[in-house]
Structures are given as C-alpha cells and as structure tokens.
Amino acid sequence: MSKLRVAVGMMAGALLLAAPAFGQYEQKGQGQAVITILPKQDGAPASVSTQGLKLQVGGKEADITSFKPLGPQAGLEMVVLIDGGARNGLGSQMEEIAHFIQRLPPNAKVGIAYMQNGRSVFASPLSTDRALVLKGLHLPGGVPGLNASPYFCISDLAKSWPSNDRTARREVIAITDGVDNYERRFDPDDPYLQAAITDSVRAGLIIYTIYWRDQGRANNTLYQNNAGQNLMLQVTQSTGGRSYWEGIGNPVSFQPYLEDLNRRLLNQYELSFVTNLSGKPQVTNMRLKLKVPGSSVDIPGQVFVYRQGAAQE
C-alpha cells in the first residue's frame, strides 16, 4: 500500500510540474503582417482569395483571420532615414526625395532622420505638414563613419518610433551603403544585424533601402559594399521591404526607385492570424503560400507574435 501511495504521489507531482508547459503550449497568439502585391505596370490591383492562402508561423500552420487591402486612406507613417556619413553628391537626389514626400497621401505622416553615432536623429517631426517636414531635408554631414553602424541606427529607430499608433503602417526608406564599421565582413549571424531585424519586426517596421556610398575608406571597396548591401538585403527581406541597388556605383537617379516604392504603398494588404504561442511574445519565422500570376509579391520573412487579446507590445 505504501508503494502505491508513493507511485501516486510521484505521478501527481509530475503532472503539476508539466502543467505550466501544457498551459504555455495551449496559449493562443496573434500577429499581423503587411504583404505587397505589385501588379504589372498600369495593371489592375491584384484579386486575392484567402481560400488559396496557406500560412506557417514558427514552422507550424497558423489560421488566417483576415486579409484586406490597404488603400490610400489607410494609416501610413513614413521615415526617410539618411546615412550621416553619405557622400555629398546625395545633394543631387534631394529634389527627388522632396517630390516623393509631397506625393504621399495627404493623411500620411512623414519624418526625416539622420544616422548619427548609432542613433536615428530626427531633423523634422513625424507630421502631415509637408512644408514642416521638408525643412529637415538637407545634406548629411558627410563625415566618414558618422553613422557608427547603420544597424545600430535602425534598432534605435525601431525602439524609439515617434508614434504610439500601432494601426498605421510603419515604413522606412534607409539611404545607406549598409557597411558596418564594427563588423565589415559579410556575416549573416552578425549580432548587430540580427538585433536590427528583431527590433524592426517587433516594432512593425517595413524597411526599404536605397544604396548610396558612405565617405569611409572601407566603403570604397567592392567586398565591403557587397557585404553591406547583402546584409541590408536580409533586413528588407525579413521585414517585407525591398533593396534598391545596382553594383557599387551611386545611382544616377532615385526616381525609378521612388516611383516603384510609391506603387508598392498603394498595393499593400494586411494579413492577420492566430497561432499557438509558447511562452512570451516573440519574433519568429513566417512563410505564406501565395500565388498571384503576373504580380510581384513581397512577404516578410519574420513576424512578431503576441498574446491573443492583448495590445500589440
């Protein structure tokens, strides 16, 4: 009889120890992601049926709760983030940047910030007042290495986004060559890069990059610039954005890139889902099966999952 009591006690203890784990496994999480479906030039907006969508979050199937288009009236917050060490030839692109900002939907909030000493320093506030915003658009200092690391600056922007509105899209245009002065070789596991990705995904940022060479000596080499742009490519692919660059020469004009970006902003969709959440809110991988013939599709590779019913953190 005593042996039976001991066995029962051990089983009860094991169940008590396992209870938190079971509770965590059964906990539901939710998340959102912005998908860009760009039709052919001058083509009609894509028609997407949720019946053909299959979503995996963290390697497991997730349930899609909504998939809706985000038109011109949808909330939009845009930050133009300029490398503080960028070559002064960037002045030739200022008019095109200003034109892009002026063409954004009237309800879109825009801000201009510069990468300086590992931080994103705002020169104009996030505002719908275009004249006020454009007062902050100027040539960067052009001091070699002034950004410290573009990945530090992106993390800082993600952590200190100048708005608490989580219903608006948060989009960033980062103008930089992507060279990290703290880790100049190509390393996909670079902790600064990975932190920038995690912080951006958690904050809901969609990052686009436009290549422009920095003043630094290391930024003159083919290897360093290729490394920088391939690292930046990981940032844009993880967040659902796009990298604009062709070789290591500065582009003649930003206009084709900005025109493409403007079309993308008008062809975005919000995907919402529920899935199992083990433990705390987390950034995890996302895969979406989506086929839209004749269209270019950008899907973020990572997504932030938080507790169902809770406010997005």
Side-chain angles (χ1 to χ4, degrees), residues 36-64:
T36 302
I37 305 176
L38 191 66
K40 290 182 179 179
Q41 191 72 32
D42 300 325
S47 177
V48 183
S49 170
T50 55
Q51 294 180 349
L53 302 181
K54 289 187 178 180
L55 177 66
Q56 284 190 341
V57 175
K60 299 178 181 179
E61 290 190 8
D63 295 325
I64 297 173

mmCIF file of all heavy atoms in Angstrom, residues 36-64:
data_model
loop_
_atom_site.group_PDB
_atom_site.id
_atom_site.type_symbol
_atom_site.label_atom_id
_atom_site.label_comp_id
_atom_site.label_asym_id
_atom_site.label_seq_id
_atom_site.Cartn_x
_atom_site.Cartn_y
_atom_site.Cartn_z
ATOM 1 N N THR A 36 2.944 42.953 -49.824
ATOM 2 C CA THR A 36 2.873 43.803 -51.006
ATOM 3 C C THR A 36 2.675 42.938 -52.240
ATOM 4 O O THR A 36 3.446 42.004 -52.477
ATOM 5 C CB THR A 36 4.158 44.635 -51.173
ATOM 6 O OG1 THR A 36 4.369 45.426 -49.993
ATOM 7 C CG2 THR A 36 4.058 45.556 -52.377
ATOM 8 N N ILE A 37 1.628 43.236 -53.007
ATOM 9 C CA ILE A 37 1.347 42.502 -54.241
ATOM 10 C C ILE A 37 1.292 43.532 -55.361
ATOM 11 O O ILE A 37 0.298 44.233 -55.537
ATOM 12 C CB ILE A 37 0.022 41.725 -54.148
ATOM 13 C CG1 ILE A 37 0.035 40.797 -52.930
ATOM 14 C CG2 ILE A 37 -0.213 40.925 -55.416
ATOM 15 C CD1 ILE A 37 -1.267 40.058 -52.704
ATOM 16 N N LEU A 38 2.369 43.625 -56.097
ATOM 17 C CA LEU A 38 2.507 44.664 -57.111
ATOM 18 C C LEU A 38 2.142 44.110 -58.484
ATOM 19 O O LEU A 38 2.836 43.248 -59.025
ATOM 20 C CB LEU A 38 3.943 45.179 -57.121
ATOM 21 C CG LEU A 38 4.207 46.434 -57.944
ATOM 22 C CD1 LEU A 38 3.480 47.627 -57.346
ATOM 23 C CD2 LEU A 38 5.710 46.720 -58.000
ATOM 24 N N PRO A 39 1.048 44.589 -59.080
ATOM 25 C CA PRO A 39 0.668 44.111 -60.413
ATOM 26 C C PRO A 39 1.601 44.660 -61.479
ATOM 27 O O PRO A 39 2.443 45.525 -61.213
ATOM 28 C CB PRO A 39 -0.753 44.666 -60.584
ATOM 29 C CG PRO A 39 -0.775 45.896 -59.733
ATOM 30 C CD PRO A 39 0.120 45.604 -58.563
ATOM 31 N N LYS A 40 1.436 44.165 -62.699
ATOM 32 C CA LYS A 40 2.225 44.680 -63.808
ATOM 33 C C LYS A 40 1.968 46.172 -63.977
ATOM 34 O O LYS A 40 0.944 46.700 -63.532
ATOM 35 C CB LYS A 40 1.869 43.951 -65.102
ATOM 36 C CG LYS A 40 2.326 42.495 -65.137
ATOM 37 C CD LYS A 40 1.969 41.861 -66.461
ATOM 38 C CE LYS A 40 2.446 40.415 -66.529
ATOM 39 N NZ LYS A 40 2.082 39.772 -67.826
ATOM 40 N N GLN A 41 2.935 46.863 -64.576
ATOM 41 C CA GLN A 41 2.809 48.300 -64.775
ATOM 42 C C GLN A 41 1.450 48.647 -65.370
ATOM 43 O O GLN A 41 1.033 48.086 -66.382
ATOM 44 C CB GLN A 41 3.919 48.797 -65.713
ATOM 45 C CG GLN A 41 4.047 50.307 -65.786
ATOM 46 C CD GLN A 41 4.629 50.904 -64.526
ATOM 47 O OE1 GLN A 41 5.440 50.273 -63.861
ATOM 48 N NE2 GLN A 41 4.223 52.110 -64.203
ATOM 49 N N ASP A 42 0.746 49.572 -64.679
ATOM 50 C CA ASP A 42 -0.578 50.041 -65.106
ATOM 51 C C ASP A 42 -1.627 48.928 -65.084
ATOM 52 O O ASP A 42 -2.716 49.092 -65.651
ATOM 53 C CB ASP A 42 -0.528 50.641 -66.513
ATOM 54 C CG ASP A 42 0.412 51.839 -66.600
ATOM 55 O OD1 ASP A 42 0.486 52.574 -65.607
ATOM 56 O OD2 ASP A 42 1.070 52.009 -67.635
ATOM 57 N N GLY A 43 -1.321 47.823 -64.423
ATOM 58 C CA GLY A 43 -2.297 46.739 -64.318
ATOM 59 C C GLY A 43 -3.283 46.986 -63.203
ATOM 60 O O GLY A 43 -3.069 47.818 -62.308
ATOM 61 N N ALA A 44 -4.394 46.274 -63.236
ATOM 62 C CA ALA A 44 -5.415 46.401 -62.200
ATOM 63 C C ALA A 44 -4.897 45.795 -60.894
ATOM 64 O O ALA A 44 -4.053 44.887 -60.910
ATOM 65 C CB ALA A 44 -6.687 45.689 -62.636
ATOM 66 N N PRO A 45 -5.367 46.278 -59.735
ATOM 67 C CA PRO A 45 -4.958 45.683 -58.461
ATOM 68 C C PRO A 45 -5.226 44.191 -58.437
ATOM 69 O O PRO A 45 -6.196 43.712 -59.024
ATOM 70 C CB PRO A 45 -5.819 46.432 -57.432
ATOM 71 C CG PRO A 45 -6.176 47.714 -58.104
ATOM 72 C CD PRO A 45 -6.298 47.400 -59.563
ATOM 73 N N ALA A 46 -4.362 43.462 -57.764
ATOM 74 C CA ALA A 46 -4.493 42.005 -57.712
ATOM 75 C C ALA A 46 -5.749 41.588 -56.958
ATOM 76 O O ALA A 46 -6.163 42.235 -55.998
ATOM 77 C CB ALA A 46 -3.265 41.408 -57.048
ATOM 78 N N SER A 47 -6.357 40.498 -57.430
ATOM 79 C CA SER A 47 -7.501 39.915 -56.747
ATOM 80 C C SER A 47 -7.019 38.665 -56.020
ATOM 81 O O SER A 47 -6.543 37.721 -56.649
ATOM 82 C CB SER A 47 -8.592 39.560 -57.761
ATOM 83 O OG SER A 47 -9.673 38.926 -57.122
ATOM 84 N N VAL A 48 -7.102 38.690 -54.701
ATOM 85 C CA VAL A 48 -6.562 37.604 -53.891
ATOM 86 C C VAL A 48 -7.678 36.955 -53.085
ATOM 87 O O VAL A 48 -8.460 37.640 -52.425
ATOM 88 C CB VAL A 48 -5.468 38.112 -52.936
ATOM 89 C CG1 VAL A 48 -4.865 36.954 -52.146
ATOM 90 C CG2 VAL A 48 -4.383 38.842 -53.706
ATOM 91 N N SER A 49 -7.754 35.639 -53.152
ATOM 92 C CA SER A 49 -8.730 34.893 -52.365
ATOM 93 C C SER A 49 -8.025 34.257 -51.167
ATOM 94 O O SER A 49 -6.983 33.626 -51.317
ATOM 95 C CB SER A 49 -9.381 33.797 -53.214
ATOM 96 O OG SER A 49 -10.149 32.937 -52.398
ATOM 97 N N THR A 50 -8.602 34.426 -50.000
ATOM 98 C CA THR A 50 -7.993 33.842 -48.800
ATOM 99 C C THR A 50 -8.055 32.319 -48.823
ATOM 100 O O THR A 50 -7.324 31.655 -48.092
ATOM 101 C CB THR A 50 -8.702 34.353 -47.537
ATOM 102 O OG1 THR A 50 -10.110 34.085 -47.637
ATOM 103 C CG2 THR A 50 -8.502 35.852 -47.371
ATOM 104 N N GLN A 51 -8.905 31.752 -49.667
ATOM 105 C CA GLN A 51 -9.018 30.295 -49.740
ATOM 106 C C GLN A 51 -7.725 29.660 -50.255
ATOM 107 O O GLN A 51 -7.424 28.513 -49.940
ATOM 108 C CB GLN A 51 -10.183 29.908 -50.648
ATOM 109 C CG GLN A 51 -11.538 30.324 -50.095
ATOM 110 C CD GLN A 51 -12.679 29.945 -51.008
ATOM 111 O OE1 GLN A 51 -12.465 29.554 -52.161
ATOM 112 N NE2 GLN A 51 -13.909 30.055 -50.517
ATOM 113 N N GLY A 52 -6.975 30.411 -51.047
ATOM 114 C CA GLY A 52 -5.743 29.862 -51.599
ATOM 115 C C GLY A 52 -4.514 30.146 -50.769
ATOM 116 O O GLY A 52 -3.401 29.792 -51.157
ATOM 117 N N LEU A 53 -4.699 30.768 -49.600
ATOM 118 C CA LEU A 53 -3.566 31.138 -48.759
ATOM 119 C C LEU A 53 -3.266 30.043 -47.729
ATOM 120 O O LEU A 53 -4.177 29.491 -47.121
ATOM 121 C CB LEU A 53 -3.849 32.446 -48.022
ATOM 122 C CG LEU A 53 -4.163 33.674 -48.881
ATOM 123 C CD1 LEU A 53 -4.387 34.888 -47.987
ATOM 124 C CD2 LEU A 53 -3.037 33.946 -49.856
ATOM 125 N N LYS A 54 -1.998 29.752 -47.569
ATOM 126 C CA LYS A 54 -1.564 28.830 -46.519
ATOM 127 C C LYS A 54 -0.415 29.487 -45.761
ATOM 128 O O LYS A 54 0.569 29.916 -46.358
ATOM 129 C CB LYS A 54 -1.117 27.499 -47.113
ATOM 130 C CG LYS A 54 -2.262 26.667 -47.670
ATOM 131 C CD LYS A 54 -1.798 25.286 -48.098
ATOM 132 C CE LYS A 54 -2.975 24.448 -48.603
ATOM 133 N NZ LYS A 54 -2.534 23.089 -49.027
ATOM 134 N N LEU A 55 -0.568 29.566 -44.452
ATOM 135 C CA LEU A 55 0.384 30.300 -43.614
ATOM 136 C C LEU A 55 1.036 29.380 -42.591
ATOM 137 O O LEU A 55 0.364 28.564 -41.958
ATOM 138 C CB LEU A 55 -0.350 31.441 -42.892
ATOM 139 C CG LEU A 55 0.462 32.276 -41.910
ATOM 140 C CD1 LEU A 55 1.550 33.069 -42.633
ATOM 141 C CD2 LEU A 55 -0.460 33.226 -41.133
ATOM 142 N N GLN A 56 2.345 29.532 -42.446
ATOM 143 C CA GLN A 56 3.095 28.865 -41.382
ATOM 144 C C GLN A 56 3.806 29.928 -40.549
ATOM 145 O O GLN A 56 4.449 30.823 -41.106
ATOM 146 C CB GLN A 56 4.131 27.899 -41.948
ATOM 147 C CG GLN A 56 3.565 26.597 -42.458
ATOM 148 C CD GLN A 56 4.651 25.585 -42.770
ATOM 149 O OE1 GLN A 56 5.815 25.931 -42.935
ATOM 150 N NE2 GLN A 56 4.274 24.316 -42.870
ATOM 151 N N VAL A 57 3.679 29.829 -39.249
ATOM 152 C CA VAL A 57 4.346 30.737 -38.325
ATOM 153 C C VAL A 57 5.136 29.892 -37.329
ATOM 154 O O VAL A 57 4.578 29.015 -36.675
ATOM 155 C CB VAL A 57 3.335 31.634 -37.578
ATOM 156 C CG1 VAL A 57 4.041 32.494 -36.529
ATOM 157 C CG2 VAL A 57 2.574 32.520 -38.561
ATOM 158 N N GLY A 58 6.433 30.129 -37.268
ATOM 159 C CA GLY A 58 7.269 29.322 -36.388
ATOM 160 C C GLY A 58 7.310 27.862 -36.797
ATOM 161 O O GLY A 58 7.468 26.982 -35.942
ATOM 162 N N GLY A 59 7.137 27.589 -38.096
ATOM 163 C CA GLY A 59 7.183 26.218 -38.597
ATOM 164 C C GLY A 59 5.890 25.447 -38.430
ATOM 165 O O GLY A 59 5.825 24.270 -38.793
ATOM 166 N N LYS A 60 4.837 26.096 -37.909
ATOM 167 C CA LYS A 60 3.560 25.412 -37.700
ATOM 168 C C LYS A 60 2.456 26.167 -38.429
ATOM 169 O O LYS A 60 2.522 27.380 -38.598
ATOM 170 C CB LYS A 60 3.238 25.326 -36.206
ATOM 171 C CG LYS A 60 4.280 24.536 -35.412
ATOM 172 C CD LYS A 60 3.944 24.529 -33.934
ATOM 173 C CE LYS A 60 5.006 23.764 -33.139
ATOM 174 N NZ LYS A 60 4.711 23.772 -31.681
ATOM 175 N N GLU A 61 1.425 25.426 -38.834
ATOM 176 C CA GLU A 61 0.318 26.056 -39.542
ATOM 177 C C GLU A 61 -0.396 27.047 -38.630
ATOM 178 O O GLU A 61 -0.588 26.806 -37.437
ATOM 179 C CB GLU A 61 -0.671 24.999 -40.034
ATOM 180 C CG GLU A 61 -0.123 24.149 -41.175
ATOM 181 C CD GLU A 61 -1.189 23.269 -41.799
ATOM 182 O OE1 GLU A 61 -2.378 23.441 -41.445
ATOM 183 O OE2 GLU A 61 -0.839 22.419 -42.635
ATOM 184 N N ALA A 62 -0.774 28.182 -39.223
ATOM 185 C CA ALA A 62 -1.495 29.225 -38.490
ATOM 186 C C ALA A 62 -2.793 29.525 -39.229
ATOM 187 O O ALA A 62 -2.893 29.317 -40.443
ATOM 188 C CB ALA A 62 -0.639 30.479 -38.363
ATOM 189 N N ASP A 63 -3.777 30.022 -38.492
ATOM 190 C CA ASP A 63 -5.085 30.332 -39.071
ATOM 191 C C ASP A 63 -5.147 31.805 -39.460
ATOM 192 O O ASP A 63 -4.913 32.692 -38.627
ATOM 193 C CB ASP A 63 -6.197 30.022 -38.073
ATOM 194 C CG ASP A 63 -6.295 28.534 -37.750
ATOM 195 O OD1 ASP A 63 -6.060 27.718 -38.668
ATOM 196 O OD2 ASP A 63 -6.592 28.189 -36.590
ATOM 197 N N ILE A 64 -5.459 32.068 -40.724
ATOM 198 C CA ILE A 64 -5.608 33.436 -41.200
ATOM 199 C C ILE A 64 -6.994 33.946 -40.816
ATOM 200 O O ILE A 64 -8.004 33.327 -41.128
ATOM 201 C CB ILE A 64 -5.421 33.506 -42.731
ATOM 202 C CG1 ILE A 64 -3.993 33.081 -43.094
ATOM 203 C CG2 ILE A 64 -5.715 34.908 -43.250
ATOM 204 C CD1 ILE A 64 -3.758 32.948 -44.595
#
